[in-house]
Amino acid sequence: MLPSFILKNGRIFDGRSFLSPGFSIVVKPPHILGITTHPPSHLPSIDLEGKVVAPGYIDLQVNGGGGKYASLDPSEKSFRQILNTHLAHGTTSLLLTIISSATDTRKNAIETIRKIMAKEQSLLMGGHLEGPFLNPSKKGAHHEPWLQPATPSLLKEITGEGHEVIKAITVSPELFTSGNLDVLMETGWILSAGHSNASYETAMSFFDHGGRMATHLYNTMSPISGREPGIITAIFEHPSARAGVIADGHHVHPAAIRLAHRVMGDRLFLISDATFLGQKDGEVYFGPTTFRMKNGICYNQEGKLAGSSISMAQAVQYCIKEVGLPQAEALRMASFTPAAVMGQTHRIGRIGKGVLANMVVLNDDWMPETVYYEGEEVEA
């Protein structure tokens, strides 16, 4: 068992707001024992010297990292490389995303996630299926032959495979009947709208029916116009809709992020959509497709953006320094809100008594200086 310790003299962000000065965090791994102005004197302490300490980041859309890709090499070794890469950058809980893939790849990926979850449910919360039920007209970088219609037999097959492993699924609402949506609703998975050309009315109906998330807001979605408000307006308006946004300076303009934040408030959160975190510029061979990385931006052969190369920490930094969001809001979007989407604020996404001691200590440039995972310092 790891020894208890105290983090003192830090600027504590508890998941929703900054605490007033004078509080210390008492850690008894793997949990936080308490937040107090009078920490026990017999425990060793670490002086944070005024640095910000925040909950570990939570990413609901991770495709790859460290040169490994979840939908290309679904081995345990590959998945652990992805997990460790993101953990070193401050992401202490995540969903591994399986994009539209060959059937065997999807099945193998789900079983590998199941195997790792049996040991590490805090770091790997489960899987996120992004496909195959996506509109070909909004396929983005997905390989079109792997997109499939939502037939009753395929829905039964995939829901059976993903039992207790898949936590979220991205679908195009316009491809679903209410009966087929009911099949997905019965799984308890989070239904997310994405890669969609849905009308405003269809998207509102999807959220009324139990859909509660949207995947990479603005990207591969029907645009807003005066006569056709589209899916984005439905996401803005529907009180149950939460949305992840990619804040990397390439996928979404800063003004569009500010607008979404102004409209959605605490329903907006950050995702990395990272595929190529740690990847160098050059060609990346991704199954039947070749991607090209240039200056940290990845494009497919059609010139479409194909995932990102950022960490959640970089997304937080970008929102503070470039988008101009309040510090507390950028940090909340990477911690408390994604935890709330997952129904996990009792154990992650906060700094408070009884939650897991997953934390990041940030330098003056808003990048992680130290990462704690279940109370243990993570080696860079």
Side-chain angles (χ1 to χ4, degrees):
M1 182 178 292
L2 295 170
S4 300
F5 62 94
I6 296 165
L7 296 178
K8 66 178 184 180
N9 296 331
R11 188 176 170 220
I12 301 171
F13 176 77
D14 70 358
R16 286 178 285 191
S17 61
F18 284 98
L19 302 185
S20 56
F23 285 91
S24 295
I25 303 168
V26 183
V27 178
K28 184 179 181 180
H31 296 99
I32 293 173
L33 193 61
I35 310 295
T36 179
T37 55
H38 297 90
S41 59
H42 66 283
L43 293 179
S45 63
I46 298 170
D47 191 342
L48 298 182
E49 300 177 336
K51 296 182 178 71
V52 169
V53 56
Y57 298 141
I58 300 167
D59 194 346
L60 305 189
Q61 195 164 357
V62 171
N63 306 298
K68 300 295 182 181
Y69 317 106
S71 301
L72 184 60
D73 178 7
S75 66
E76 183 172 357
K77 182 179 179 182
S78 169
F79 282 14
R80 289 194 178 278
Q81 176 70 23
I82 296 169
L83 293 172
N84 291 335
T85 298
H86 284 267
L87 180 59
H89 286 81
T91 297
T92 53
S93 298
L94 58 83
L95 293 181
L96 268 180
T97 301
I98 307 165
I99 65 170
S100 305
S101 306
T103 300
D104 286 347
T105 301
R106 182 187 71 237
K107 290 181 176 180
N108 291 337
I110 289 171
E111 288 311 305
T112 301
I113 293 172
R114 189 187 308 277
K115 185 177 180 180
I116 297 174
M117 283 179 67
K119 306 170 188 175
E120 298 180 46
Q121 276 199 331
S122 170
L123 178 56
L124 180 55
M125 297 184 292
H128 177 170
L129 286 178
E130 188 182 356
F133 308 123
L134 305 179
N135 190 329
S137 72
K138 292 292 183 181
K139 68 181 186 294
H142 287 240
H143 187 50
E144 188 166 343
W146 286 338
L147 304 182
Q148 299 182 65
T151 62
S153 60
L154 186 55
L155 282 167
K156 182 178 179 180
E157 178 182 338
I158 288 179
T159 55
E161 292 169 5
H163 180 62
E164 295 184 343
V165 173
I166 299 303
K167 305 299 180 182
I169 182 169
T170 296
V171 302
S172 301
E174 64 272 26
L175 303 185
F176 276 74
T177 64
S178 60
N180 283 347
L181 280 179
D182 286 337
V183 173
L184 291 180
M185 287 295 297
E186 289 171 2
T187 64
W189 301 349
I190 297 165
L191 271 58
S192 187
H195 289 269
S196 175
N197 206 29
S199 67
Y200 169 81
E201 292 78 12
T202 298
M204 289 295 281
S205 177
F206 172 81
F207 294 122
D208 284 341
H209 204 88
R212 52 195 175 99
M213 194 170 85
T215 296
H216 44 57
L217 179 65
Y218 294 114
N219 300 118
T220 61
M221 290 181 175
S222 52
I224 299 173
S225 72
R227 292 187 178 89
E228 297 290 342
I231 186 174
I232 295 171
T233 304
I235 294 164
F236 283 173
E237 281 201 342
H238 202 287
S240 298
R242 287 168 162 151
V245 66
I246 307 169
D248 66 348
H250 308 296
H251 280 78
V252 183
H253 193 282
I257 297 176
R258 286 193 296 270
L259 172 62
H261 177 261
R262 188 173 297 119
V263 174
M264 298 186 71
D266 64 5
R267 294 187 291 121
L268 185 69
F269 61 94
L270 294 172
I271 54 171
S272 72
D273 196 30
T275 305
F276 306 104
L277 179 62
Q279 186 79 36
K280 296 180 180 179
D281 283 359
E283 290 190 338
V284 179
Y285 301 99
F286 201 92
T289 306
T290 301
F291 296 151
R292 175 167 290 279
M293 285 277 291
K294 185 176 181 181
N295 299 323
I297 312 169
C298 191
Y299 302 93
N300 70 1
Q301 291 161 308
E302 299 174 9
K304 296 177 180 178
L305 288 169
S308 85
S309 60
I310 64 165
S311 64
M312 285 289 280
Q314 289 170 298
V316 169
Q317 181 194 56
Y318 180 80
C319 282
I320 293 171
K321 298 181 68 174
E322 303 298 331
V323 179
L325 296 186
Q327 298 166 4
E329 283 297 282
L331 292 168
R332 186 267 307 161
M333 290 163 65
S335 56
F336 185 83
T337 297
V341 171
M342 293 295 297
Q344 293 290 313
T345 55
H346 62 288
R347 61 193 296 267
I348 57 175
R350 297 187 297 116
I351 292 180
K353 183 178 180 179
V355 303
L356 289 170
N358 296 342
M359 297 174 286
V360 288
V361 178
L362 304 175
N363 63 23
D364 291 341
D365 202 34
W366 297 98
M367 294 301 289
E369 185 175 279
T370 309
V371 178
Y372 292 97
Y373 174 68
E374 296 188 357
E376 182 175 6
E377 185 173 340
V378 175
E379 293 185 10

